Amino acid sequence: MEKRVNIQTLEPQAYKAMLGLEGYLSTIAISKTLKELIKIRSSQLNNCAFCIHMHTKDALKYGESQQRLFILSAWREASDLFTAQEKVALEMTEEITLIHQQGLTTVTYQKALTVFSTHEIAQLIMAIVTINSWNRIAVSTHLPISLEE
């Protein structure tokens, strides 16, 4: 891939603002593993290899199983492996990530209200929006994957 701009170096204030969102997300009630599932699923939909690589490693570190990570892109077909909250969060992730199709539907929002508080729904939306922003930065700038641990 061609080398592209490094936003962290060229626009450090913009990068700092993105890190501010990450700082906020580290304080929310949503579990670390659910946040990682959201990040991975969004990154799969956006074809962001850099973020898929980073967040699968993080998910494993936080105790997520390999089996669930392997099956995540087909979570609907393996829905017995995921909790009611996880299924709604993944559905929200897909609808918000693919917002051009229909956006967050009323049906999914109503499901979310049955398993999350309104504050948690707001937090989920912010988590999904943030990873989508990171995906767009990584894909647009061709961030390279480092396979070294």
Side-chain angles (χ1 to χ4, degrees), residues 23-35:
Y24 155 76
L25 292 175
S26 72
T27 69
I28 67 175
I30 308 305
S31 73
K32 289 180 180 182
T33 53
L34 181 53
K35 284 187 274 189

Side-chain angles (χ1 to χ4, degrees), residues 51-114:
C51 293
I52 293 168
H53 179 70
M54 174 192 297
H55 295 296
T56 53
K57 288 190 334 186
D58 289 346
L60 290 168
K61 180 175 71 179
Y62 297 138
E64 186 54 74
S65 74
Q66 289 182 355
Q67 179 187 23
R68 285 173 23 116
L69 293 177
F70 295 153
I71 203 74
L72 183 59
S73 65
W75 68 269
R76 290 176 194 272
E77 287 73 30
S79 65
D80 58 323
L81 294 178
F82 297 92
T83 68
Q85 282 190 332
E86 290 168 337
K87 288 186 255 189
V88 171
L90 290 169
E91 203 165 357
M92 289 176 66
T93 300
E94 291 177 356
E95 290 181 4
I96 293 170
T97 299
L98 302 172
I99 199 162
H100 65 283
Q101 291 181 357
Q102 61 188 350
L104 180 58
T105 64
T106 300
V107 170
T108 301
Y109 183 78
Q110 292 301 320
K111 283 185 208 175
L113 287 171
T114 68

